[in-house]
Amino acid sequence: MKSNQETKFKNTFEEEVYEGLTAFPKYLSSKYFYDKKGDKLFQKIMALPEYYLTECERTIIEENKADISNLFSGDAGFDLVELGAGDGKKTKILLQELIETKRNFTYKPIDISQNVLDELEEDVLNRWPSINIETEQGTYFNILKKLSEQQKDRKMVIVVLGSNIGNLPHKYAVEFLTTIRKSMQPEDLLFMGFDQKKDPQVILNAYNDSQGVTEEFNKNLLSRINEEMNANFDLQKFNHWPVYDPENGTTKSYLVSTEDQTVTLQNLDLDIHFSAWESIHTEISQKYDDVIVNWLAQEAGLVVEKQYSDPKNYFTDYIFRI
Ligand code: AVI
């Protein structure tokens, strides 16, 4: 392996790839799954029968939309701030209910991708031309910081769907919840989805689908490195390998080198050697139960006010207060 102390990184992606691939054991961050192709693959994953999370949360929202809308609504109206809105599929069930019951609210979807926000805004305005919608592009952290600095004159409800928190180890999940808590006032609410511990086989199937979409999603990290760093990863020479530990509820996804090989990342002036069966850890997808969620909430200064689960208890949406 070439050592390259002098490398000047073009961006944090390059820097983190350098750090992760020169570490032992090797790792890469799952946040880099999501380029244009990764966004599309994730949409495909959400529609897979094995990826039960989406359908479970849709059922929860559908079955409890009246109750949830009542809890969300405030005397002077409210702002519905959605972090990581994506295509807003599940949120639209709630929007429909809020509009039908004539609630006074502004929908504020936030996403890292302006593209995603433009499409969402167009669709929402087509469906409900009189809705108040204010999109905002940015990272969770920046937006939450901004929210905590703003003078707020009415109730705010923050929504984070899809168990996105599960991609953070507990330490960072507490940090994330703490940042959210700092932006909240006493009447504000946080509505957040947490995928639950369940039959390990059901979980493994969700991360190892029969059509190979999750494999392509995982390997998209290597494709991105090939394209953006002029590298020569041979995707055929890596196996997609998710594992689930029922003791701590952590799903970990790996890419495993099927042979002894060396990969060159030209833009980083870097050769990386892989022994046969050496791994790159690429993602965690944490699974929870009430004890863990209450512990995370307590660490972050939040309290669980209410919770909703699907009939199989695969997924739970919790409502938190400060
Ligand atoms: C976005 N996140 C909650 C998904 C998950 O379940 O961890 C990402 C994903 N990774 C593989 N399949 C889906």
Side-chain angles (χ1 to χ4, degrees):
M1 189 198 306
K2 285 182 209 164
S3 103
N4 68 346
Q5 307 296 345
E6 258 122 76
T7 303
K8 292 271 178 292
F9 301 111
K10 242 180 24 211
N11 48 43
T12 46
F13 184 28
E14 284 193 356
E15 190 171 350
E16 289 189 29
V17 165
Y18 180 86
E19 272 170 23
L21 292 183
T22 56
F24 182 80
K26 294 178 170 56
Y27 65 90
L28 291 168
S29 168
S30 63
K31 67 177 182 246
Y32 295 113
F33 284 156
Y34 302 93
D35 63 348
K36 235 183 179 155
K37 184 171 161 217
D39 284 347
K40 288 267 168 312
L41 285 169
F42 184 51
Q43 300 285 353
K44 244 172 126 176
I45 288 174
M46 287 196 291
L48 289 170
E50 289 113 325
Y51 196 73
Y52 58 83
L53 290 81
T54 317
E55 181 51 24
C56 288
E57 196 171 38
R58 197 199 60 73
T59 306
I60 292 171
I61 295 176
E62 183 63 53
E63 286 183 355
N64 299 286
K65 60 189 178 190
D67 194 42
I68 297 168
S69 303
N70 281 336
L71 270 169
F72 281 11
S73 298
D75 294 339
F78 69 102
D79 288 330
L80 182 62
V81 177
E82 181 170 21
L83 298 183
D87 64 4
K89 231 181 213 154
K90 289 167 282 186
T91 319
K92 283 173 200 157
I93 301 170
L94 266 182
L95 296 180
Q96 176 77 37
E97 175 71 17
L98 292 167
I99 284 163
E100 274 174 16
T101 52
K102 302 196 166 31
R103 312 287 179 157
N104 168 15
F105 73 102
T106 300
Y107 177 42
K108 297 187 169 179
I110 289 159
D111 205 279
I112 187 83
S113 157
Q114 187 61 50
N115 220 15
V116 158
L117 288 171
D118 291 344
E119 281 175 22
L120 177 63
E121 185 169 29
E122 195 186 325
D123 183 54
V124 164
L125 284 171
N126 272 338
R127 284 172 198 243
W128 306 288
S130 61
I131 197 172
N132 295 315
I133 176 167
E134 291 171 15
T135 63
E136 188 139 12
Q137 188 268 334
T139 63
Y140 288 0
F141 184 77
N142 289 343
I143 300 289
L144 285 167
K145 191 161 171 277
K146 211 164 133 187
L147 284 174
S148 64
E149 287 159 4
Q150 269 167 13
Q151 195 59 35
K152 287 189 289 286
D153 49 6
R154 64 179 189 170
K155 180 174 178 177
M156 174 176 69
V157 179
I158 299 176
V159 173
V160 191
L161 301 181
S163 204
N164 284 341
I165 192 168
N167 296 128
L168 301 173
H170 289 323
K171 177 172 173 258
Y172 295 107
V174 168
E175 267 181 38
F176 178 43
L177 289 170
T178 305
T179 311
I180 292 179
R181 194 253 298 147
K182 285 184 183 155
S183 74
M184 290 169 69
Q185 291 176 349
E187 69 163 355
D188 296 343
L189 298 175
L190 167 65
F191 183 92
M192 191 182 273
F194 290 76
D195 194 21
Q196 301 289 298
K197 290 185 177 179
K198 60 185 68 63
D199 179 346
Q201 193 59 57
V202 172
I203 294 174
L204 269 183
N205 293 348
Y207 292 89
N208 206 7
D209 67 275
S210 49
Q211 295 174 42
V213 186
T214 313
E215 174 179 354
E216 205 184 335
F217 182 62
N218 195 7
K219 289 186 179 177
N220 189 44
L221 258 173
L222 304 186
S223 301
R224 276 197 74 179
I225 297 172
N226 279 350
E227 277 160 34
E228 296 176 39
M229 292 168 212
N230 213 351
N232 63 349
F233 277 104
D234 180 346
L235 273 49
Q236 307 280 353
K237 293 184 182 165
F238 288 86
N239 284 351
H240 166 63
W241 196 259
V243 294
Y244 173 66
D245 179 346
E247 186 175 280
N248 57 26
T250 308
T251 310
K252 284 175 114 182
S253 293
Y254 296 93
L255 290 165
V256 182
S257 173
T258 56
E259 59 184 63
D260 192 279
Q261 56 178 316
T262 298
V263 176
T264 302
L265 288 74
Q266 277 192 35
N267 295 7
L268 301 192
D269 190 22
L270 182 65
D271 289 339
I272 298 292
H273 177 256
F274 290 89
S275 307
W277 310 117
E278 187 178 351
S279 61
I280 313 173
H281 173 219
T282 53
E283 188 182 42
I284 86 155
S285 298
Q286 183 64 38
K287 307 304 160 196
Y288 301 89
D289 56 26
D290 285 350
V291 174
I292 309 177
V293 173
N294 278 287
W295 170 74
L296 290 173
Q298 198 183 0
E299 291 291 301
L302 290 163
V303 181
V304 174
E305 165 133 330
K306 198 155 186 188
Q307 61 194 74
Y308 305 91
S309 298
D310 61 292
K312 287 195 233 160
N313 288 321
Y314 276 9
F315 198 95
T316 304
D317 283 297
Y318 296 80
I319 294 190
F320 303 90
R321 271 193 193 284
I322 60 173

